[in-house]
């Protein structure tokens, strides 16, 4: 691994550490005894469709995985899709499956909270 690659990997590790701390804070907030159905629904919606920042957690994760898939397409041996196809599928699962299920759960908890 080159020095540049090590620095890149170090940045990724540091960024993941920051993300883990942020996600731990969200988990702590979700565990609070006073979280009611409308608030839980609002938090779930934020994870899927943050209104202040384009995207949301799941779409952003899918974007990162899609970027890895596109890079894998360029460097995988024989360009056979052994690496890139599973990555593309993982990105789709994040948005199509996980994200949709968050929306369903939020709608079930607080149907009035849906933005028209």
């Amino acid at each position: 691994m080159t020095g540049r690659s090590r620095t890149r990997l170090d940045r990724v590790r540091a960024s993941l550490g920051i993300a883990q701390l942020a996600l731990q804070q969200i988990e702590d907030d979700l565990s609070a005894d006073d979280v009611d159905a409308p608030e839980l629904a609002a938090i779930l919606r934020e994870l899927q469709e943050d209104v202040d920042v384009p995207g949301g957690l799941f779409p952003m994760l899918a974007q990162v995985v899609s970027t890895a898939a596109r890079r894998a397409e360029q460097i995988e041996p024989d360009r056979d899709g052994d690496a890139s196809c599973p990555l593309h599928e993982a990105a789709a699962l994040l948005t199509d499956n996980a994200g949709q299920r968050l929306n369903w759960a939020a709608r079930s908890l607080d149907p009035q909270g849906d933005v028209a």
Side-chain angles (χ1 to χ4, degrees):
M1 185 179 299
T2 68
R4 183 174 51 210
S5 293
R6 170 131 345 256
T7 301
R8 184 176 297 122
L9 185 56
D10 290 341
R11 282 194 312 266
V12 168
R13 286 181 179 148
S15 296
L16 287 171
I18 292 166
Q20 287 172 335
L21 289 172
L23 291 171
Q24 182 61 55
Q25 179 62 54
I26 294 169
E27 185 176 350
D28 292 347
D29 288 336
L30 287 168
S31 300
D33 290 335
D34 62 344
V35 173
D36 61 9
E39 186 176 20
L40 179 56
I43 292 169
L44 294 174
R45 287 183 181 103
E46 285 294 316
L47 292 174
Q48 176 57 14
E49 300 173 0
D50 188 338
V51 294
D52 296 325
V53 178
L57 177 63
F58 280 77
M60 293 289 293
L61 287 173
Q63 181 177 338
V64 168
V65 174
S66 290
T67 300
R70 287 190 300 276
R71 185 63 186 137
E73 287 171 356
Q74 297 170 351
I75 62 175
E76 61 192 344
D78 303 322
R79 300 196 186 264
D80 54 10
D82 284 348
S84 59
C85 284
L87 291 170
H88 282 299
E89 290 170 0
L93 287 172
L94 284 167
T95 55
D96 297 344
N97 288 28
Q100 186 60 40
R101 280 167 175 70
L102 280 179
N103 289 337
W104 291 337
R107 190 174 305 122
S108 174
L109 289 165
D110 183 26
Q112 306 306 323
D114 275 340
V115 178

